[in-house]
């Protein structure tokens, strides 16, 4: 479908955009929407945008390429892949943007708060004060390194990590078995979206190799723990 990029927002060091898309096509947190500017119809649909934090009544997607501008016409496909699903019984939820912006995880705040869960964002905010100011006051922010001391507290952990850094999660979660549920958004290039099975997005799991574009990009944490590379 063809849509308009209405406005652009800065979120920390990344940009998000407000898109004019009917609510029935809005992605779940963790799902992606392949996009292509109308001005470049020959280019493949390789810019994958995710739901990011914003007001509830409009669709915010990001991270946006630097050269996209308000008013641009964008071809966009419906939501693809598997998104996050927080168990309804989870009462203590952690969010872990691992060396990435928390922008793709923050849409989970509303879902967790609606089921009265306590929330901790494990993140080293640095100078990103604008993101901290957008968080509801019920959200606690703790350094990434403090996660290891809080593993018994968690019911559910949502992670966003680049594919190349997936193995580093094992050292952060320094226990032989996980005492909680979790899901991981594996951040990687997904140039073909599974159409030509290029394999660029292959992720090693306990069930063998899987494709982030069709089997993910959100995977169960227990399927990646101690096997990822
Ligand atoms: S992007 Fe080509 S197989 Fe996943």
């Amino acid at each position: 479908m063809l849509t308009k990029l209405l406005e652009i927002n800065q979120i920390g060091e990344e940009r998000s955009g407000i898109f004019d898309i009917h609510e029935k096509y809005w992605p779940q947190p963790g799902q992606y929407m392949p996009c292509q500017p109308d001005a470049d119809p020959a280019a493949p649909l390789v810019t994958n945008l995710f739901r990011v934090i914003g007001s509830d009544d409009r669709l915010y997607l990001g991270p946006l390429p630097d050269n996209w501008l308000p008013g641009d016409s964008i071809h966009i496909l419906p939501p693809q892949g598997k998104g996050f699903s927080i168990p309804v019984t989870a009462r203590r939820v952690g969010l872990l943007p691992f060396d990435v912006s928390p922008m793709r995880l923050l849409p989970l705040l509303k879902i967790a708060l609606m089921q009265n869960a306590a929330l901790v964002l494990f993140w080293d905010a640095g100078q990103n004060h604008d993101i901290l100011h957008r968080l509801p006051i019920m959200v606690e922010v703790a350094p990434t390194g403090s996660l290891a001391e809080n593993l018994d507290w968690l019911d559910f952990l949502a992670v966003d990590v680049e594919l190349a850094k997936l193995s580093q999660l094992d050292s952060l979660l320094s226990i032989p078995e996980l005492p909680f549920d979790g899901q991981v958004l594996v951040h990687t290039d997904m140039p073909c979206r599974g159409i030509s099975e290029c394999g660029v997005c292959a992720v090693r799991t306990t069930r063998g190799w899987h494709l982030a574009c069709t089997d993910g990009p959100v995977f169960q944490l227990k399927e990646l723990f101690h096997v990822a590379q």
Side-chain angles (χ1 to χ4, degrees):
M1 65 189 126
L2 189 62
T3 186
K4 269 277 190 258
L5 173 54
L6 300 176
E7 289 176 31
I8 290 179
N9 289 300
Q10 195 74 31
I11 304 181
E13 295 173 354
E14 302 199 72
R15 304 190 321 154
S16 72
I18 300 174
F19 287 81
D20 182 20
I21 295 175
H22 192 282
E23 197 168 346
K24 72 180 178 183
Y25 296 113
W26 291 9
Q28 296 170 12
Q31 286 187 303
Y32 64 99
M33 298 182 80
C35 302
Q36 174 194 40
D38 190 38
D40 191 8
L45 298 174
V46 291
T47 301
N48 296 314
L49 300 183
F50 292 80
R51 185 90 175 261
V52 299
I53 191 170
S55 62
D56 292 343
D57 57 341
R58 307 180 90 180
L59 177 61
Y60 291 70
L61 298 174
L64 284 191
D66 291 342
N67 58 348
W68 291 19
L69 297 170
D72 282 358
S73 294
I74 307 289
H75 289 282
I76 193 161
L77 293 181
Q80 318 264 314
K82 293 182 182 143
F84 286 103
S85 56
I86 300 178
V88 291
T89 52
R91 291 293 173 268
R92 294 180 298 274
V93 172
L95 306 181
L96 174 64
F98 189 76
D99 251 358
V100 293
S101 161
M103 69 193 305
R104 287 173 291 267
L105 291 181
L106 293 181
L108 293 171
L109 293 178
K110 185 182 171 203
I111 298 167
L113 291 172
M114 280 176 63
Q115 57 192 57
N116 294 317
L119 269 159
V120 179
L121 172 63
F122 294 98
W123 182 51
D124 302 313
Q127 299 302 311
N128 287 309
H129 300 298
D130 58 331
I131 292 183
L132 295 178
H133 292 149
R134 292 171 189 238
L135 300 178
I137 53 171
M138 301 82 99
V139 178
E140 188 181 333
V141 180
T144 302
S146 68
L147 176 63
E149 302 146 26
N150 288 282
L151 298 177
D152 286 340
W153 178 83
L154 288 167
D155 288 334
F156 180 82
L157 180 68
V159 183
D160 182 0
V161 62
E162 291 176 12
L163 178 58
K165 295 186 178 173
L166 201 46
S167 59
Q168 295 178 27
L169 274 183
D170 282 354
S171 36
L172 188 63
L173 304 171
S174 52
I175 46 176
E177 279 191 40
L178 295 172
F180 51 82
D181 279 335
Q183 292 171 346
V184 184
L185 170 54
V186 178
H187 203 50
T188 179
D189 288 340
M190 297 181 286
C192 85
R193 310 185 313 281
I195 294 170
S196 63
E197 298 189 345
C198 68
V200 166
C201 67
V203 178
R204 190 178 174 204
T205 76
T206 54
R207 298 178 292 119
W209 290 93
H210 286 267
L211 301 176
C213 60
T214 51
D215 305 315
V218 174
F219 292 86
Q220 297 300 319
L221 177 57
K222 284 177 179 165
E223 292 181 354
L224 305 181
F225 194 49
H226 292 322
V227 295
Q229 65 177 32

